[in-house]
Amino acid sequence: MGRNIHVARSIVALDRALLRVRRAGKVALVPTMGALHKGHLALVRQARRRAAKVIVSIFVNPTQFAPNEDFGSYPRTFAHDLAELSKLEVDLVWAPGADVVYPQGFATRIVPEGPALAGLEDKFRPHFFAGVATVVAKLFVQCRPDLAMFGEKDFQQLKVVTRMARDLDLPVRVIGVPTVREDDGLALSSRNAYLSAEERAVAPTLHRVLRGCARKISAGAPIAKTLDEGRTVVAAAGFVIDYLEARHAETLAAIASAKDGPIRLLVAARLGKTRLIDNIGV
Ligand code: AMP
């Protein structure tokens, strides 16, 4: 294990730690919900490369979960997370309780539009982006980072946060980091822990289908037909599909032909009780 890592759990402790951290130069923030895996650690490494000091926040944000979702069962592995972060020489861990982020009487929400209304995650998790935007705005104001790292794994979220920071003149540069995958292509996710052995064997289908569709579309195949075929393969593997779509890689607007701009393919599907998402560029 690396050196002892500094953990702040109250605003007062955070402010005191920031006095020290901010003196050293640029500060990067990596917001997470804990249950850290190699995808999160890639964000931390990127942060290390680009900033003098790195703050990782660990907060399972209740407001981005609907009542029927997995807030209660979401994996919490705080001791393990701290051990991993201290190996990477993270300067500060911001781990507030829910009562610190949402004290009694809390009554403000940021409701993002634009990429947050693309008809992708927002269609299936209508509460999600207001929860994310509100907590991320708070994390930015609390930690005052110069840079913030977000994974392309959550591609729509990356667009929403980027837009929000710009729209609210928050003085932070949002940086996207490519998705880290298992050897078989499955995107790392804290939720992969929910998969049974059988489901885990099937799960890489999502990435395989994304790659197949991307290859066909870049070779000139019609988008709608290619995605229809992809949906058939995903469903045949045992998934219930929420969406498999081709969108403009910047605006997330619907796209009819490869000429309409850089394309991102995005998928969300449920395998048993686990909901998985993934995306790739064409
Ligand atoms: P989470 O803890 O799931 O909210 O994720 C925290 C951050 O890690 C988000 O910016 C995610 O997009 C990012 N992330 C999650 N999984 C991966 C992955 N497999 N590769 C890269 N970034 C990831």
Side-chain angles (χ1 to χ4, degrees):
M1 210 178 115
R3 69 206 158 84
N4 252 355
I5 198 160
H6 190 101
V7 180
R9 295 178 178 278
S10 69
I11 297 284
V12 170
L14 175 67
D15 283 342
R16 200 180 308 129
L18 284 176
L19 284 178
R20 167 178 59 82
V21 163
R22 292 182 60 81
R23 264 204 302 268
K26 285 211 184 309
V27 175
L29 173 68
V30 181
T32 81
M33 299 205 298
L36 300 184
H37 52 62
K38 289 188 189 122
H40 299 114
L41 302 184
L43 268 60
V44 173
R45 286 201 187 87
Q46 269 296 329
R48 269 259 76 95
R49 232 166 275 151
R50 290 165 180 264
K53 295 284 176 181
V54 177
I55 307 174
V56 174
S57 63
I58 297 181
F59 179 61
V60 185
N61 175 36
T63 66
Q64 70 193 66
F65 291 78
N68 64 326
E69 291 182 346
D70 56 343
F71 176 71
S73 57
Y74 194 84
R76 287 162 171 89
T77 59
F78 193 68
H80 165 266
D81 295 348
L82 286 190
E84 292 299 314
L85 295 177
S86 62
K87 282 186 222 160
L88 296 183
E89 310 210 329
V90 162
D91 299 283
L92 174 62
V93 172
W94 171 225
D99 56 329
V100 170
V101 178
Y102 303 112
Q104 184 140 52
F106 185 89
T108 300
R109 234 161 34 115
I110 292 173
V111 182
E113 298 181 357
L117 297 177
L120 297 166
E121 285 302 285
D122 50 298
K123 194 163 150 197
F124 298 90
R125 306 185 70 192
H127 55 281
F128 179 67
F129 286 118
V132 167
T134 303
V135 81
V136 170
K138 286 187 60 107
L139 292 170
F140 285 174
V141 172
Q142 290 162 347
C143 298
R144 307 191 294 284
D146 301 287
L147 312 170
M149 323 304 293
F150 284 82
E152 288 184 351
K153 160 79 179 6
D154 301 277
F155 198 75
Q156 190 179 6
Q157 169 175 282
L158 169 62
K159 299 295 165 190
V160 169
V161 169
T162 303
R163 185 76 252 171
M164 177 196 67
R166 215 176 281 159
D167 289 351
L168 297 182
D169 303 310
L170 301 177
V172 54
R173 196 148 66 87
V174 175
I175 293 171
V177 178
T179 302
V180 177
R181 301 179 178 282
E182 303 282 7
D183 289 342
D184 60 12
L186 177 64
L188 296 191
S189 164
S190 307
R191 290 190 167 98
N192 292 350
Y194 301 154
L195 297 170
S196 70
E198 292 77 15
E199 290 165 345
R200 175 62 190 81
V202 167
T205 304
L206 282 187
H207 180 241
R208 212 178 53 244
V209 167
L210 284 177
R211 279 185 38 187
C213 290
R215 183 168 34 77
K216 287 181 199 159
I217 290 168
S218 56
I223 292 177
K225 175 165 170 285
T226 304
L227 294 178
D228 269 340
E229 290 165 4
R231 287 185 197 106
T232 305
V233 176
V234 171
F239 287 90
V240 178
I241 300 179
D242 281 351
Y243 58 82
L244 168 59
E245 297 273 352
R247 293 301 180 90
H248 189 284
E250 285 311 315
T251 63
L252 299 184
I255 227 164
S257 111
K259 290 193 292 287
D260 293 344
I263 299 179
R264 198 89 188 174
L265 303 181
L266 304 102
V267 67
R270 281 164 287 135
L271 193 54
K273 65 178 170 52
T274 308
R275 186 170 182 279
L276 300 176
I277 63 173
D278 201 352
N279 66 88
I280 61 170
V282 174

